[in-house]
Amino acid sequence: MKDENRFTAELYARLWPWLNHSKPTRLMLDDGGQCEVAHPDICVYFDGSDEEMRTECKVLDARGQNKNCVEPTEKQLRTWSQDAHLSGRPHLWAAKVEDTQNYYLWTHEDFKKGFDGRAVAGTTRRAVKIPCNGTPPLTFTLLFLKIMEFAVTKGFLN
């Protein structure tokens, strides 16, 4: 979890200059399961926007059985599935591959098939394969630029 917190903090620091600091900001660094529902790691308002943009951050295992898989918690599956009638799903998923400088970015829409209709009883984690489709990894700078591009095209940043 320490690596995920570090990655989340680094990404938040890069976004900082473009944020509206008069609006609430939520930076969820490992809540330890304290909340009843899942919350994305970074929830911010950009200058000039009244819409909150939410990003979930993950660190991916570079080796082993779940190599390049996102492993959402049961709470995330329950809260962010299409069947859930709760707002607050992440708009974006940002990921860093552990022990590398490789990053990926997806919209929540990319993950909907992996979330929706999954039985979550009796398990705490389910691996959702990342839809890389041969996409080369990003650098941290390109990850940031893609997030900013998403923010502009979706109206989160004017």
Side-chain angles (χ1 to χ4, degrees):
M1 195 55 72
K2 182 172 59 170
D3 290 340
E4 186 175 309
N5 288 347
R6 183 179 300 118
F7 171 49
T8 301
E10 288 170 355
L11 188 53
Y12 178 74
R14 184 64 74 98
L15 296 171
W16 178 262
W18 288 272
L19 301 182
N20 181 342
H21 300 289
S22 66
K23 298 241 182 206
T25 295
R26 288 182 290 151
L27 186 61
M28 304 297 286
L29 296 178
D30 185 19
D31 75 348
Q34 299 301 312
C35 298
E36 289 184 30
V37 296
H39 296 283
D41 293 313
I42 300 174
C43 302
V44 296
Y45 291 85
F46 287 97
D47 272 336
S49 177
D50 290 327
E51 297 292 323
E52 179 185 63
M53 191 174 93
R54 299 175 297 275
T55 304
E56 177 65 14
C57 299
K58 294 289 185 187
V59 173
L60 308 181
D61 187 0
R63 303 167 289 287
Q65 179 179 341
N66 287 329
K67 178 180 178 181
N68 289 344
C69 290
V70 172
E71 296 184 64
T73 64
E74 181 179 344
K75 187 187 318 183
Q76 289 171 333
L77 288 168
R78 190 175 55 248
T79 305
W80 296 338
S81 73
Q82 190 166 355
D83 296 337
H85 298 288
L86 301 168
S87 61
R89 291 182 188 105
H91 297 99
L92 295 173
W93 289 72
K96 177 187 189 305
V97 179
E98 72 177 348
D99 301 327
T100 72
Q101 293 301 308
N102 296 334
Y103 300 86
Y104 291 95
L105 183 71
W106 305 273
T107 67
H108 187 67
E109 297 296 313
D110 295 326
F111 283 94
K112 278 174 68 171
K113 290 179 189 158
F115 272 67
D116 296 341
R118 278 188 180 257
V120 296
T123 184
T124 56
R125 290 174 124 33
R126 294 286 174 102
V128 176
K129 284 285 185 190
I130 297 170
C132 291
N133 297 329
T135 304
L138 305 169
T139 64
F140 187 75
T141 299
L142 285 175
L143 172 73
F144 166 73
L145 291 173
K146 289 219 175 256
I147 291 171
M148 296 302 280
E149 178 184 40
F150 177 88
V152 169
T153 59
K154 298 297 183 179
F156 295 106
L157 178 63
N158 300 322

